[in-house]
Amino acid sequence: MKILNFGSLNIDYVYSVDHIVRGGETILSTKSETFCGGKGLNQSIALARAGIQVYHAGLIGREGQLLLETCARYGVDTTYIRELPEKGGHTMIQVDSDGQNSIILYGGTNQMQTREYIDEVLSHFESDDFLILQNEINLLHYIIDKAYERGMKIVLNPSPFDNKLKACDLSKIYLFMLNEIEGEQFTGFSDAEEILESLAGKFPEAKFVLTLGSNGSVYYDGKVKLYQGIFPVDAVDTTAAGDTFTGFFMASVIAGKSVEEALCTASKASSIAVSRPGASVSIPSASEVSESLQEQRRLKITSW
Ligand code: RIB
């Protein structure tokens, strides 16, 4: 079984600010840093850091060598990444003193996939291989249709949520991984239970993982519901927390772990990512995550 992540690669220009800038306001940032990011790249790196062999497909631009090198350095297979002589995807990210962020995304080459390129990449994959997708690239509906025809299991993180998703046949999705805001955008409900029931009604064949910020996360497959709390930390930067969660959850499931264990590992991994600055650089390794979980269990036992 092979794992393909077809997704965005961005250069993130990150500015530390006291508060997120308001309309008409000009503020001075206290720090400016450049990181590799993009929901696609972050999720591939999270999968690789969690010990899974992952192929990344996507398009980088003229200044994208750093993205390619970073993927390779973390063990992501870059065979299917292509470079175009165009401006690449990038973001401008503000991070405030509470670690909250706001992101402006420029699509660049992430919005230049062609049907020929997609067909070529997918021709290397087959039935029961996993395909992981987010919503930062163009032709998502085409990728879903073609991957489904091949019998691939499609995991969709519908982020950022926008109208392009309406063009997709979402009944072909095997697993949705989304947060409560995306859940509300999808269903019109803000309550987690109502979001899940509504999603399960719309997509009866699918499974769902809904993340709920400080209220943890929940898995639902229409019958079984499993809850996971958070591991509280002082937030430094929440960028890529969701991507880390997705990567570690999927890695655990692919490795044959139970859903309970996958939720717990993903929750711990994203709590570590939140305690560090940056996107892909904040993603922990599998051993950091398991050591931290062991330490937590040891403290619980000794304090008992
Ligand atoms: O999920 C975080 C990512 O979203 C950032 O790395 C940024 O590139 C945006 O795509």
Side-chain angles (χ1 to χ4, degrees):
M1 183 217 310
K2 293 199 280 189
I3 319 299
L4 169 66
N5 180 9
F6 213 133
S8 58
L9 306 103
N10 290 331
I11 303 278
D12 289 342
Y13 297 101
V14 181
Y15 299 91
S16 302
V17 289
D18 172 62
H19 62 272
I20 306 294
V21 71
R22 289 182 275 264
E25 187 186 28
T26 301
I27 56 173
L28 194 63
S29 79
T30 52
K31 196 162 44 163
S32 146
E33 293 165 287
T34 304
F35 296 111
C36 290
K39 293 183 197 304
L41 174 143
N42 295 339
Q43 291 179 23
S44 280
I45 288 182
L47 280 153
R49 296 282 271 161
I52 292 292
Q53 201 205 355
V54 55
Y55 296 86
H56 191 98
L59 300 172
I60 55 172
R62 282 189 296 263
E63 58 298 269
Q65 273 309 308
L66 181 64
L67 297 167
L68 198 60
E69 285 161 19
T70 300
C71 283
R73 193 171 68 245
Y74 284 109
V76 175
D77 192 306
T78 60
T79 309
Y80 305 116
I81 297 178
R82 300 280 179 269
E83 187 179 337
L84 297 179
E86 306 287 344
K87 196 183 262 190
H90 59 265
T91 61
M92 205 198 80
I93 303 182
Q94 300 175 60
V95 180
D96 73 11
S97 45
D98 294 326
Q100 290 306 313
N101 65 25
S102 101
I103 303 179
I104 296 176
L105 179 62
Y106 175 77
T109 46
N110 290 316
Q111 295 296 325
M112 295 179 190
Q113 333 289 320
T114 61
R115 285 174 162 75
E116 293 69 34
Y117 169 56
I118 292 165
D119 290 344
E120 207 283 309
V121 172
L122 293 182
S123 71
H124 300 279
F125 295 87
E126 58 188 20
S127 187
D128 286 333
D129 289 344
F130 273 97
L131 171 66
I132 299 173
L133 297 170
Q134 314 76 32
N135 188 29
E136 285 188 340
I137 58 173
N138 66 316
L139 290 180
L140 202 64
H141 63 286
Y142 185 78
I143 300 175
I144 290 173
D145 290 346
K146 291 293 160 182
Y148 188 81
E149 270 171 36
R150 304 190 80 80
M152 294 179 80
K153 288 184 183 157
I154 308 171
V155 178
L156 176 65
N157 169 220
S159 180
F161 189 93
D162 65 24
N163 277 337
K164 273 195 292 140
L165 289 166
K166 289 194 181 138
C168 300
D169 182 354
L170 297 178
S171 67
K172 295 174 178 169
I173 303 302
Y174 172 80
L175 166 67
F176 289 86
M177 297 201 63
L178 68 175
N179 66 29
E180 55 196 330
I181 298 168
E182 290 142 8
E184 182 171 358
Q185 289 165 319
F186 243 123
T187 64
F189 294 108
S190 55
D191 173 74
E193 301 299 324
E194 287 180 309
I195 292 172
L196 288 169
E197 288 307 332
S198 170
L199 286 171
K202 280 185 210 292
F203 309 112
E205 304 300 320
K207 305 169 197 300
F208 307 91
V209 174
L210 182 67
T211 55
L212 305 166
S214 58
N215 290 320
S217 52
V218 48
Y219 165 88
Y220 188 44
D221 61 10
K223 291 183 211 77
V224 177
K225 220 174 249 173
L226 300 165
Y227 298 88
Q228 170 67 47
I230 58 156
F231 294 94
V233 285
D234 287 332
V236 172
D237 182 354
T238 56
T239 313
D243 300 329
T244 305
F245 189 100
T246 298
F248 271 79
F249 180 86
M250 283 311 302
S252 301
V253 168
I254 289 161
K257 304 276 166 57
S258 68
V259 173
E260 285 98 328
E261 206 173 329
L263 285 175
C264 176
T265 306
S267 176
K268 172 51 88 176
S270 67
S271 76
I272 297 174
V274 162
S275 67
R276 300 169 173 172
S280 55
V281 282
S282 71
I283 300 170
S285 64
S287 57
E288 283 177 282
V289 175
S290 62
E291 277 161 28
S292 181
L293 279 169
Q294 270 165 24
E295 176 65 5
Q296 202 128 13
R297 280 176 196 136
R298 197 183 60 76
L299 286 173
K300 251 193 196 158
I301 291 165
T302 48
S303 65
W304 177 69

Short mmCIF file of all heavy atoms in Angstrom, two decimals, residues 10 12 37-39 42 91 103 136 239-240 243 279, ligand 1:
data_model
loop_
_atom_site.label_atom_id
_atom_site.label_comp_id
_atom_site.label_asym_id
_atom_site.label_seq_id
_atom_site.Cartn_x
_atom_site.Cartn_y
_atom_site.Cartn_z
N ASN A 10 4.20 25.88 0.17
CA ASN A 10 4.29 27.35 0.29
C ASN A 10 5.55 27.78 1.02
O ASN A 10 6.02 27.08 1.92
CB ASN A 10 3.14 27.90 1.15
CG ASN A 10 1.79 27.79 0.48
OD1 ASN A 10 1.70 27.84 -0.73
ND2 ASN A 10 0.75 27.66 1.28
N ASP A 12 6.32 30.34 3.77
CA ASP A 12 5.56 31.13 4.75
C ASP A 12 6.43 32.29 5.25
O ASP A 12 7.51 32.07 5.83
CB ASP A 12 5.18 30.27 5.96
CG ASP A 12 4.11 29.23 5.64
OD1 ASP A 12 3.41 29.37 4.61
OD2 ASP A 12 3.98 28.28 6.44
N GLY A 37 6.15 25.79 4.33
CA GLY A 37 4.81 25.43 4.79
C GLY A 37 3.93 25.03 3.62
O GLY A 37 4.39 24.52 2.60
N GLY A 38 2.66 25.32 3.80
CA GLY A 38 1.65 24.81 2.86
C GLY A 38 1.03 23.60 3.55
O GLY A 38 1.75 22.77 4.11
N LYS A 39 -0.30 23.51 3.50
CA LYS A 39 -0.95 22.40 4.20
C LYS A 39 -0.48 21.06 3.64
O LYS A 39 -0.31 20.10 4.38
CB LYS A 39 -2.46 22.53 4.11
CG LYS A 39 -2.96 23.74 4.86
CD LYS A 39 -4.44 23.88 4.86
CE LYS A 39 -4.84 25.30 5.25
NZ LYS A 39 -4.32 25.75 6.54
N ASN A 42 3.23 20.42 4.86
CA ASN A 42 3.22 20.15 6.31
C ASN A 42 2.71 18.75 6.59
O ASN A 42 3.27 18.03 7.44
CB ASN A 42 2.33 21.16 7.05
CG ASN A 42 2.84 22.59 6.97
OD1 ASN A 42 4.02 22.81 6.72
ND2 ASN A 42 1.96 23.55 7.19
N THR A 91 2.72 32.59 1.61
CA THR A 91 1.76 33.18 2.55
C THR A 91 2.39 34.32 3.31
O THR A 91 3.62 34.41 3.42
CB THR A 91 1.30 32.15 3.62
OG1 THR A 91 2.47 31.76 4.35
CG2 THR A 91 0.63 30.95 3.01
N ILE A 103 -3.74 34.25 8.20
CA ILE A 103 -2.93 33.87 7.03
C ILE A 103 -3.51 34.45 5.75
O ILE A 103 -4.71 34.32 5.49
CB ILE A 103 -2.86 32.32 6.88
CG1 ILE A 103 -2.30 31.67 8.16
CG2 ILE A 103 -2.04 31.92 5.66
CD1 ILE A 103 -2.21 30.14 8.11
N GLU A 136 -5.86 23.48 -1.15
CA GLU A 136 -5.01 24.62 -1.54
C GLU A 136 -4.49 24.46 -2.96
O GLU A 136 -3.57 25.19 -3.35
CB GLU A 136 -3.84 24.79 -0.56
CG GLU A 136 -4.26 25.38 0.77
CD GLU A 136 -3.09 25.73 1.67
OE1 GLU A 136 -1.97 25.22 1.48
OE2 GLU A 136 -3.31 26.54 2.60
N THR A 239 0.25 27.63 13.93
CA THR A 239 0.38 27.27 12.51
C THR A 239 0.81 25.80 12.37
O THR A 239 1.74 25.37 13.04
CB THR A 239 1.43 28.17 11.81
OG1 THR A 239 1.19 29.52 12.17
CG2 THR A 239 1.38 28.02 10.30
N ALA A 240 0.14 25.07 11.53
CA ALA A 240 0.45 23.65 11.23
C ALA A 240 0.03 22.68 12.32
O ALA A 240 0.31 21.48 12.22
CB ALA A 240 1.92 23.44 10.88
N ASP A 243 -2.29 20.36 10.62
CA ASP A 243 -1.56 19.51 9.66
C ASP A 243 -0.81 18.40 10.40
O ASP A 243 -0.75 17.25 9.94
CB ASP A 243 -0.57 20.34 8.84
CG ASP A 243 -1.26 21.43 8.05
OD1 ASP A 243 -2.42 21.22 7.64
OD2 ASP A 243 -0.66 22.51 7.85
N ALA A 279 5.87 26.47 10.77
CA ALA A 279 4.97 25.42 10.28
C ALA A 279 5.71 24.08 10.31
O ALA A 279 5.75 23.42 11.35
CB ALA A 279 4.49 25.78 8.87
O1 RIB B 1 -1.86 24.92 7.86
C1 RIB B 1 -0.80 25.84 7.90
C2 RIB B 1 -0.39 26.25 6.53
O2 RIB B 1 -1.46 26.95 5.94
C3 RIB B 1 0.78 27.20 6.49
O3 RIB B 1 2.01 26.54 6.46
C4 RIB B 1 0.48 28.06 5.28
O4 RIB B 1 1.34 27.84 4.22
C5 RIB B 1 -0.97 27.77 4.92
O5 RIB B 1 -1.08 27.10 3.76
#
